Amino acid sequence: MKESRPIVVLVTGCSQGIGEATCHALLQRGNQVLGLDLKAPSSALAEHPNFQFENVDLTQEGMYDRWLELFNTYAPDAVVHSAGMGTMGQFGEIPRERERFMVKLNVLATLDMVHAAVAIARGDKSLHLVLLSSKAGISCVPGMAVYSASKHFVSGLALSVHEEVQIRGLPIQISTLTPPPVRTKFRENMGFEERKKRITGVLMPEEVAADVLHVLKHPQQSRITGLMHRLSFKFLRHLLPKRFLHRKIYEASLFDLQPLKPND
């Protein structure tokens, strides 16, 4: 989708992390943004004249109908679906209720949105869906098994539905970004403190937001943010024995998992 004119973009998960950074990046380029989240956005976003906010629980019953309403009301040119959450820890030791809620948000909420987008896709009005998956959604991540599985669903759904709508001649593009670790409240949202020792190669939300804008112009699947991350994933990781690589990923996933301390 070329940005020769301002576009209307719906952004889920707009109140923090990649979603918030994407809203700012879109607004800086003169676009209209509708942000969806359970949490209120920052004042910098809320007070921007080209930003609107809808308080939405993407996991609620009837969200498919709400999506139809949003699509018909705002007629967006694109949706950037960045809402999501993670779990981290040994499989079998993470509370199943948390894993099941994550599946509702990462999997079922994504499915509702894509279903609604296909349902309204008719005529000359084009729509570009940009789904935030993860590098965990195109690889093996011991220590984050269910999170990884949920992102594999996002990547697989986007790939297959994109090809189907092209065959059917529907005016939809579906792209996915699969970023490596990003410095957000990912661990805090899981109930863990930030790592005491920072790991290398972690991206900032603004770097992923810039890649979102790139993909809006150049639709594609499973784009990994960052040139070095793309090269490493495509070439370097294949030089390591799989068991060694997976053990290192597992150890990194479980490293320094300290529960958040209660507020005084």
Side-chain angles (χ1 to χ4, degrees), residues 121-157:
R122 298 292 184 273
D124 297 329
K125 174 63 178 175
S126 63
L127 177 63
H128 188 182
L129 308 181
V130 179
L131 310 184
L132 267 292
S133 181
S134 166
K135 201 160 74 167
I138 53 173
S139 60
C140 172
V141 187
M144 301 179 70
V146 181
Y147 171 73
S148 177
S150 74
K151 291 301 185 177
H152 273 273
F153 174 87
V154 173
S155 297
L157 179 74

Side-chain angles (χ1 to χ4, degrees), residues 195-222:
R195 293 177 185 269
K196 293 182 175 63
K197 181 180 178 181
R198 295 294 178 98
I199 60 175
T200 59
V202 177
L203 301 179
M204 298 302 293
E206 290 76 15
E207 294 176 271
V208 182
D211 230 20
V212 170
L213 268 59
H214 175 82
V215 170
L216 282 170
K217 291 182 179 179
H218 308 284
Q220 58 192 280
Q221 297 286 330
S222 300

Side-chain angles (χ1 to χ4, degrees), residues 99-111:
E99 289 181 332
R100 290 172 68 86
F101 183 78
M102 181 185 66
V103 169
K104 286 180 68 176
L105 179 57
N106 293 6
V107 173
L108 299 182
T110 303
L111 186 61

Side-chain angles (χ1 to χ4, degrees), residues 31-106:
N31 299 297
Q32 298 281 337
V33 177
L34 173 67
L36 309 180
D37 210 316
L38 265 177
K39 300 177 182 177
S42 66
S43 57
L45 271 184
E47 295 170 6
H48 195 287
N50 288 347
F51 179 82
Q52 289 180 262
F53 174 68
E54 292 257 3
N55 183 273
V56 172
D57 178 0
L58 296 176
T59 66
Q60 69 184 340
E61 291 293 327
M63 192 59 214
Y64 169 78
D65 291 330
R66 183 71 188 280
W67 272 114
L68 292 177
E69 179 186 332
L70 290 167
F71 283 135
N72 287 320
T73 300
Y74 294 98
D77 299 287
V79 176
V80 178
H81 184 51
S82 69
M85 62 175 287
T87 56
M88 185 179 291
Q90 291 182 330
F91 183 76
E93 294 192 359
I94 302 168
R96 285 188 297 120
E97 315 83 68
R98 183 172 184 82
E99 289 181 332
R100 290 172 68 86
F101 183 78
M102 181 185 66
V103 169
K104 286 180 68 176
L105 179 57
N106 293 6

